[in-house]
Amino acid sequence: MGEFDLIETFFWRRPGQGPRRAVVGNGDDCAVIAPAPGMQLAVSTDTLVEGRHFLSTVSPARLGHKALAVNLSDLAACGAAPMAFTLALTLPRVDEVWLKGFAQGLLDLADEHDCELIGGDTTAGPLAIGITVMGEVPAGQALLRSGAQVGDDLWVSGFPGEARLALEAFRGSLHPGLSTEAFEATRLAMERPDPRVALGVGLRGLATAAIDVSDGLLGDLGHVLRRSRVGAALSLDELPVSPWLAARSPDERLNCILAGGDDYELLFTAPAGQRERVAQLGAELGLVLSRIGQIEAESGLRLWRGAAAGAGEGRQPVPNRWTSFDHFKGAA
Ligand code: ADP
Ligand code: MG
């Protein structure tokens, strides 16, 4: 099978199949696309490399899903609704079974989010998947990292830490190991993350700042704090703890939640006066949203145990010993 057959067979849709968002789609020199009037284009790129971002044991369908999911997560963090994406695929060989599974996982998630595959590039080499995603957001309403205000609440969606727990299980570093049930559930979080697109769109005009948690909660929070030129107090006792993490030692639990990474949950700030609306949004979306701290004027991050952060009495400071994952730290 040649390059063009491969592209046409696995990545082009038949008429009537999948969303149509572009004026000119797949198959020409360029795709042509425009956001609706009054909307701005939000663009983001993420690459997944075998051995670095995924294990060779992952099923092709889950890999296809995840490659797009991590990109949709960036759109979500900006409050942008998905429109289209391009796919740069580097393959060591043409494996039709693999390609079929990969395309299925990828395009199923794309269809779910009304996001059209409008072009790409296909080359031979070590397995890598690069995706550029485009979304639209009402002019001036994109959620940024820089908007957090002193006094805002700090929120996180879902249950960060599960993906890291699964990764440690794969590495064989958990003693005791995970039950089969816990392993399969957390493996799903690691291999098949659910991008929080509806949450991001719902947070337009409500959140003051947002980021998706890809490198670990504390590291990503640090980006928001630096860009917003503020600090924060975070209560370790308010962190959402999934049942799988609740069963682990306190040390493992906090490592996974605070510095795990690969979570693709949204971390966001919102005025304290909007608590009801945020809670209502979570209820509408069937998504657990946890209020985990406050934005403060003093720069840096302060971790607390005991009563909710900012409550004053009964709080005990905890030193921050959780560092976040950095691709170039310790890289060979
Ligand atoms: P060119 O050489 O003009 O860049 P290519 O041969 O790279 O064109 O690709 C031919 C067409 O197929 C282009 O429209 C391109 O966007 C599309 N395409 C290539 N690879 C992929 C892919 N992996 N997924 C979707 N579309 C692709
Ligand atoms: Mg090309």
Side-chain angles (χ1 to χ4, degrees):
M1 176 177 265
E3 179 189 334
F4 294 103
D5 289 338
L6 182 162
I7 297 167
E8 278 194 45
T9 305
F10 295 105
F11 299 109
W12 289 8
R13 319 304 291 276
R14 315 279 160 261
Q17 246 186 343
R20 288 279 166 216
R21 306 296 305 266
V23 183
V24 175
N26 229 315
D28 218 301
D29 291 307
C30 285
V32 179
I33 192 158
M39 304 292 265
Q40 288 175 322
L41 203 56
V43 182
S44 179
T45 299
D46 253 314
T47 302
L48 299 191
V49 175
E50 182 167 20
R52 173 59 63 173
H53 301 96
F54 60 92
L55 306 171
S56 56
T57 48
V58 68
S59 85
R62 286 194 181 176
L63 182 59
H65 174 102
K66 183 165 179 177
L68 182 58
V70 303
N71 279 278
L72 292 175
S73 178
D74 283 317
L75 287 186
C78 286
M83 294 180 71
F85 69 107
T86 61
L87 171 66
L89 199 53
T90 310
L91 298 170
R93 73 195 78 84
V94 178
D95 175 341
E96 294 189 28
V97 174
W98 188 93
L99 276 161
K100 188 163 186 277
F102 176 82
Q104 179 99 50
L106 178 87
L107 295 174
D108 280 354
L109 183 66
D111 291 355
E112 198 183 304
H113 290 282
D114 198 23
C115 193
E116 184 184 354
L117 175 56
I118 57 171
D121 195 32
T122 308
T123 50
L127 183 58
I129 304 143
I131 288 183
T132 296
V133 78
M134 284 146 267
E136 58 183 4
V137 59
Q141 281 192 41
L143 302 175
L144 305 178
R145 297 176 178 187
S146 54
Q149 304 292 319
V150 174
D152 281 354
D153 292 326
L154 181 63
W155 296 82
V156 70
S157 66
F159 295 95
E162 292 195 341
R164 182 55 177 265
L165 191 62
L167 179 64
E168 295 302 337
F170 269 105
R171 287 176 171 164
S173 61
L174 298 181
H175 305 285
L178 296 181
S179 68
T180 309
E181 199 192 3
F183 179 62
E184 288 309 324
T186 54
R187 180 182 188 174
L188 203 63
M190 176 176 98
E191 295 182 347
R192 212 176 175 291
D194 198 4
R196 303 304 186 195
V197 171
L199 176 62
V201 169
L203 287 174
R204 288 176 190 162
L206 182 55
T208 48
I211 190 168
D212 68 320
V213 182
S214 55
D215 294 337
L217 197 156
L218 292 193
D220 288 319
L221 172 58
H223 293 307
V224 170
L225 300 184
R226 279 186 295 276
R227 294 288 284 274
S228 299
R229 297 170 182 280
V230 292
L234 188 145
S235 163
L236 298 185
D237 292 332
E238 306 294 323
L239 292 169
V241 181
S242 87
W244 315 116
L245 282 159
R248 307 304 302 181
S249 72
D251 214 39
E252 241 173 47
R253 178 158 65 234
L254 283 176
N255 279 335
C256 287
I257 297 176
L258 295 175
D262 236 12
D263 297 306
Y264 306 104
E265 295 296 347
L266 294 189
L267 182 68
F268 60 95
T269 56
Q274 301 282 17
R275 272 176 206 171
E276 298 260 305
R277 273 181 72 198
V278 174
Q280 198 187 332
L281 180 62
E284 276 166 27
L285 299 175
L287 201 55
V288 173
L289 301 180
S290 307
R291 187 158 54 84
I292 59 173
Q294 263 92 40
I295 298 299
E296 298 179 339
E298 186 190 337
S299 70
L301 177 63
R302 287 155 293 281
L303 302 179
W304 298 96
R305 273 209 172 285
E313 270 172 49
R315 301 194 314 185
Q316 288 181 355
V318 177
N320 181 1
R321 56 190 174 78
W322 294 276
T323 49
S324 192
F325 190 75
D326 180 323
H327 284 284
F328 293 98
K329 253 186 223 159

